[in-house]
Amino acid sequence: MDLRYEARRNVSIYAADLIERCIGCTIAIGSGSTVKILIDELTKKGIINKFRYISTSIDTTLYLRKAGARDIESGICPGDIDIYVDSADEIDPKLNLLKGGGGALFREKIAMLSSNRRIIIADETKLVERLGSTRAVPLEVEIYAISYVLKEIERLGYRVKYRETEGKLGPLISDNGNVLIDVYTGPIEDPVSIDKLLKNIEGVITTGIFPYMDYEVVIGRLSGAIDILKR
């Protein structure tokens, strides 16, 4: 048995049960493998086509359509979203998040900020003492500014590189047409300050640091239990 998969499935079932109570609502969906498990659970319940979806990536849009969802907005994020559900790459004890491994950080951040209720689902391996412990900090950067941004980040003392992917030469481009770069900060003592520091560089659109935004974090334990974390 894959304990990590079962932990992610358990929190996805929990989130699907919450969403089921809100038939007809507008639901924003993040990106990644855990989110796809959530979509699978909504499909199993037979309610996949009973919501208006706000998608944060082409990948999520395609998966929703394959599951049978038809009312999907992916062009402009509205400001009246009922529930936002997503996962995270790292979660610290203060419930700050590091996201953007899938390259949809800007859209995810806007969708989260536009939502009345915010739910993060993840397995316990995503819990860290400090953000940056296991992952680089992703940035979404205007293409024209990439050389300047790389130089400025190196000047701050961090190792940085633009993200590449198999099957394509050169930088990985986000769904918004921007470059994705990764900053190797190491463990971060003050995520809010680092988020501001990096965003202050001209050309940086946003970072993968999500300072606490009044959300609940649902953690699936490898034991099969579920923990609900809130500030």
Side-chain angles (χ1 to χ4, degrees):
M1 178 186 296
D2 185 337
L3 296 180
R4 279 196 62 197
Y5 174 82
E6 289 302 318
R8 289 184 294 153
R9 182 169 179 269
N10 288 338
V11 294
S12 296
I13 292 171
Y14 176 89
D17 288 343
L18 290 179
I19 292 171
E20 187 175 20
R21 303 172 196 168
C22 195
I23 296 295
C25 288
T26 298
I27 310 295
I29 300 286
S31 306
S33 58
T34 302
V35 167
K36 289 179 178 178
I37 297 173
L38 168 63
I39 294 171
D40 290 341
E41 294 303 323
L42 293 173
T43 303
K44 291 176 185 177
K45 283 178 170 289
I47 58 173
I48 189 67
N49 207 26
K50 295 185 180 296
F51 308 94
R52 177 193 182 203
Y53 294 98
I54 309 303
S55 175
T56 58
S57 70
I58 294 173
D59 184 60
T60 296
T61 299
L62 292 174
Y63 204 82
L64 281 167
R65 289 203 179 281
K66 183 178 178 181
R70 291 293 175 264
D71 189 358
I72 307 170
E73 172 61 60
S74 58
I76 298 177
C77 182
D80 57 347
I81 299 171
D82 295 298
I83 302 174
Y84 174 85
V85 187
D86 201 357
S87 189
D89 298 319
E90 289 184 339
I91 305 166
D92 76 9
K94 293 184 178 180
L95 304 187
N96 299 302
L97 310 179
L98 186 64
K99 294 174 49 56
L105 54 158
F106 176 71
R107 291 190 178 197
E108 289 171 347
K109 191 169 284 188
I110 295 300
M112 181 183 286
L113 289 168
S114 302
S115 300
N116 294 319
R117 185 173 185 182
R118 303 153 186 176
I119 303 170
I120 302 299
I121 54 176
D123 68 80
E124 67 175 283
T125 66
K126 304 299 186 180
L127 299 174
V128 296
E129 282 301 312
R130 293 184 180 180
L131 298 187
S133 296
T134 65
R135 299 288 190 108
V137 175
L139 304 183
E140 191 158 342
V141 176
E142 287 278 358
I143 290 177
Y144 190 74
I146 184 170
S147 296
Y148 171 75
V149 171
L150 292 172
K151 182 182 69 174
E152 287 298 298
I153 292 174
E154 289 174 346
R155 189 177 62 80
L156 292 173
Y158 298 127
R159 183 167 66 90
V160 60
K161 67 176 183 179
Y162 61 75
R163 193 181 300 181
E164 296 180 280
T165 184
E166 295 181 6
K168 177 186 178 299
L169 298 177
L172 179 64
I173 305 299
S174 75
D175 289 355
N176 299 313
N178 302 308
V179 176
L180 295 167
I181 70 175
D182 291 314
V183 182
Y184 295 85
T185 61
I188 299 170
E189 184 172 350
D190 186 348
V192 174
S193 294
I194 296 299
D195 177 54
K196 290 179 180 178
L197 177 69
L198 295 173
K199 284 197 296 190
N200 278 340
I201 299 173
E202 202 70 49
V204 174
I205 295 168
T206 196
T207 82
I209 296 172
F210 284 55
Y212 180 70
M213 298 180 190
D214 190 28
Y215 38 68
E216 55 202 276
V217 177
V218 185
I219 297 296
R221 299 291 180 179
L222 301 185
S223 66
I226 288 177
D227 288 341
I228 313 299
L229 308 179
K230 294 183 181 180
R231 274 196 183 179

